[in-house]
Amino acid sequence: MDEQGARSGSRAELDPGGGVVDLISTLPDDLLLQVLERLVSDAAAARTSILSRRWRGLWSGLPKVTVTLHDVPFDSLQPALRRVARPGVCHFLLDIRVPGLDRRVSGSRVTSLLHDAARLSPAELRFTLPRNLKVSWVDAEAELPCFHRATSIELQARDLHLSQIMGRGSFHSLERLSLSGCNIDLATFIPRCPRLRLLRLNTTDLVDMGIITIHSASLEELVFEHKNRWTGLSRISVQAPMLKQLTMSFHARSDLGVSILAPMVEKDSCSFPNAELSFVAEMDKHMVTNFSSLDLHLRTKGHVFGAIVLYLLGLDRIRKAIWNLKIVLLGSEVKDACPADCLCDEPKDWRTQSIFLAGLQKVEIEGVKGEDHELDFLKVIFRGAPTLRRVALELSDEATPSDDWRTKTNDIIKAYPPVEYTVGLVSGKQF
């Protein structure tokens, strides 16, 4: 009878259709909430609402705690974190801001503090060290533990060196990351963040971060600031196929190399204020894989532009893709005296070089001054663009072309009759 009753009990776990009864959903709310607390993020807990009506909205009952530790002395932070660590509590935001501290601390002390923060498993982390806090030269590196649940992390310090615990999981929930004054190997760290969408970097205070590599398959927005030309930053490499918005601002050394591969960029704002930065590096950061038009706005200050523009047109990715070329020569009240051996006219044989632009069909140049080097540039373009159909020049209002310049212009028009050639003034008047 007992055996029969046991068999009957086991059969009771099947529904009439032969399926297994959902016994987990029959548990009381407090037990189900403990199950949800062990998931990696609030988003994962919220997705359990699709399981059944019993689970719908249950995740909103998770206890959420915001822990704010502002101006707590550095030596008191770890005891404070251990006091707030309670089982069964979902820490939504952990905000730590250390007060000004004119002393040195060891990297191992910072490591221990970050590990205590990670044990709270916050959904968002803000961690700020004061600018006058210095990390010991002997024990300089702090270890960054894995924050499994964190969707947002903000770390702010001054030249804080961070090492990683390799092989101990990834930041698989992280979507937003902000690093200011933190030196970490981004080439190995970013691949550990498979869902990262927004990255903010400020490397101004870093003195020995030579190469920055950001390769991400998920990144959609990058904001990058570096305002210290005396640091060792020498190269930036970005590969982000999903990147849509790019903002960069640099005061950097003159030989800084910038390479960005981001074919989906829709909005970008990039500034390299120091005059010595090579124009080629300035162009290289805009390289994308699919384009047909090149629009250059140049403030020449009296210098020759033909040599550098032809160099750009000779780059393989531009030469093979370009259909339309537009050059806007911006006015300037200050004009440098251009000596006979000025670098702007290098190489000296640029006027006689050959460049094959198979697809180029349209050329526009605004702000023409009526100078011979402008016509020299056009001659090279005419010779190398067999499909060219239209050339439009607009003279600046202050241009005073000589009769010789007008004659040379007419000679070019006659030499290439298939090309529609117009010359006018920026004000709209005909030349």
Side-chain angles (χ1 to χ4, degrees):
M1 184 71 177
D2 291 341
E3 183 179 353
Q4 179 66 29
R7 281 198 293 266
S8 299
S10 64
R11 283 195 297 270
E13 296 178 5
L14 301 176
D15 64 21
V20 178
V21 175
D22 180 9
L23 296 179
I24 295 178
S25 294
T26 65
L27 296 173
D29 284 3
D30 58 342
L31 290 179
L32 293 180
L33 287 172
Q34 290 185 38
V35 173
L36 295 180
E37 287 165 7
R38 285 158 174 78
L39 298 179
V40 296
S41 67
D42 286 349
R47 284 195 290 270
T48 61
S49 295
I50 67 174
L51 295 176
S52 69
R53 187 174 300 173
R54 173 74 177 87
W55 290 82
R56 192 171 302 162
L58 187 64
W59 70 277
S60 61
L62 285 170
K64 295 182 179 180
V65 174
T66 294
V67 179
T68 302
L69 298 174
H70 286 184
D71 301 326
V72 176
F74 187 88
D75 295 333
S76 302
L77 278 170
Q78 285 185 262
L81 286 173
R82 291 165 184 171
R83 283 196 300 271
V84 300
R86 302 197 306 270
V89 174
C90 174
H91 292 90
F92 179 71
L93 170 63
L94 175 58
D95 189 353
I96 300 173
R97 187 175 66 199
V98 181
L101 188 66
D102 192 10
R103 53 174 277 200
R104 288 191 181 276
V105 299
S106 66
S108 58
R109 293 284 306 279
V110 179
T111 295
S112 184
L113 179 58
L114 287 171
H115 275 269
D116 280 340
R119 290 188 185 98
L120 270 63
S121 194
E124 295 186 16
L125 171 68
R126 299 175 192 162
F127 183 79
T128 304
L129 295 179
R131 291 180 57 83
N132 59 352
L133 185 144
K134 303 176 182 66
V135 180
S136 170
W137 291 104
V138 179
D139 183 8
E141 278 196 343
E143 188 179 79
L144 180 65
C146 192
F147 289 79
H148 296 283
R149 291 184 65 249
T151 59
S152 176
I153 293 178
E154 297 179 23
L155 302 178
Q156 184 172 346
R158 182 177 183 179
D159 202 19
L160 176 64
H161 287 239
L162 292 170
S163 62
Q164 307 172 60
I165 310 175
M166 302 307 294
R168 295 193 187 178
S170 65
F171 292 71
H172 45 246
S173 298
L174 191 61
E175 298 180 357
R176 300 178 302 279
L177 175 63
S178 177
L179 299 175
S180 179
C182 297
N183 193 334
I184 189 170
D185 183 7
L186 295 172
T188 57
F189 181 67
I190 296 299
R192 297 179 64 201
C193 310
R195 296 181 180 175
L196 188 64
R197 294 186 295 105
L198 169 62
L199 176 60
R200 295 180 181 273
L201 291 178
N202 188 324
T203 57
T204 298
D205 291 327
L206 303 183
V207 296
D208 59 351
M209 197 169 190
I211 299 175
I212 294 178
T213 302
I214 303 170
H215 294 177
S216 172
S218 60
L219 193 63
E220 296 180 4
E221 181 177 355
L222 173 61
V223 180
F224 196 171
E225 185 176 3
H226 184 90
K227 294 188 176 181
N228 188 348
R229 65 181 304 179
W230 306 115
T231 60
L233 183 61
S234 61
R235 180 160 182 79
I236 301 166
S237 174
V238 177
Q239 291 185 20
M242 301 304 294
L243 193 68
K244 295 181 175 63
Q245 187 164 338
L246 173 65
T247 304
M248 301 178 75
S249 179
F250 283 87
H251 289 261
R253 47 194 266 185
S254 60
D255 59 346
L256 174 65
V258 182
S259 177
I260 292 182
L261 183 61
M264 301 294 289
V265 166
E266 298 171 353
K267 182 179 180 181
D268 72 279
S269 174
C270 301
S271 173
F272 289 72
N274 54 302
E276 292 85 2
L277 184 66
S278 73
F279 181 65
V280 175
E282 173 76 5
M283 277 299 304
D284 190 38
K285 73 179 189 299
H286 289 290
M287 282 299 171
V288 296
T289 54
N290 296 310
F291 70 95
S292 60
S293 299
L294 179 61
D295 191 341
L296 299 174
H297 291 235
L298 308 176
R299 197 177 301 278
T300 62
K301 296 183 180 181
H303 290 271
V304 172
F305 66 86
I308 187 62
V309 174
L310 288 175
Y311 177 84
L312 292 173
L313 293 175
L315 295 176
D316 195 55
R317 280 180 289 179
I318 295 180
R319 179 176 54 82
K320 292 180 179 180
I322 189 168
W323 289 8
N324 303 308
L325 171 63
K326 182 175 182 178
I327 302 173
V328 179
L329 303 174
L330 303 172
S332 175
E333 295 180 0
V334 179
K335 292 187 178 182
D336 298 332
C338 193
D341 59 347
C342 186
L343 292 177
C344 71
D345 208 26
E346 296 288 345
K348 293 297 184 183
D349 63 347
W350 69 265
R351 292 170 174 81
T352 59
Q353 77 175 82
S354 297
I355 179 172
F356 186 58
L357 302 167
L360 185 61
Q361 299 180 15
K362 181 180 177 181
V363 174
E364 297 177 80
I365 305 179
E366 294 182 9
V368 174
K369 305 298 190 298
E371 298 173 353
D372 284 347
H373 70 85
E374 296 164 336
L375 295 181
D376 293 336
F377 169 75
L378 279 176
K379 290 176 183 178
V380 178
I381 295 296
F382 272 105
R383 289 198 303 267
T387 62
L388 190 62
R389 293 292 176 265
R390 185 170 185 270
V391 172
L393 303 183
E394 289 190 1
L395 276 69
S396 64
D397 287 338
E398 65 269 19
T400 55
S402 65
D403 291 338
D404 182 58
W405 191 89
R406 295 169 185 265
T407 300
K408 291 177 180 178
T409 300
N410 290 327
D411 290 343
I412 293 175
I413 295 174
K414 294 175 182 178
Y416 298 93
V419 179
E420 178 187 344
Y421 194 106
T422 61
V423 181
L425 296 175
V426 173
S427 60
K429 299 178 181 178
Q430 197 64 27
F431 173 63

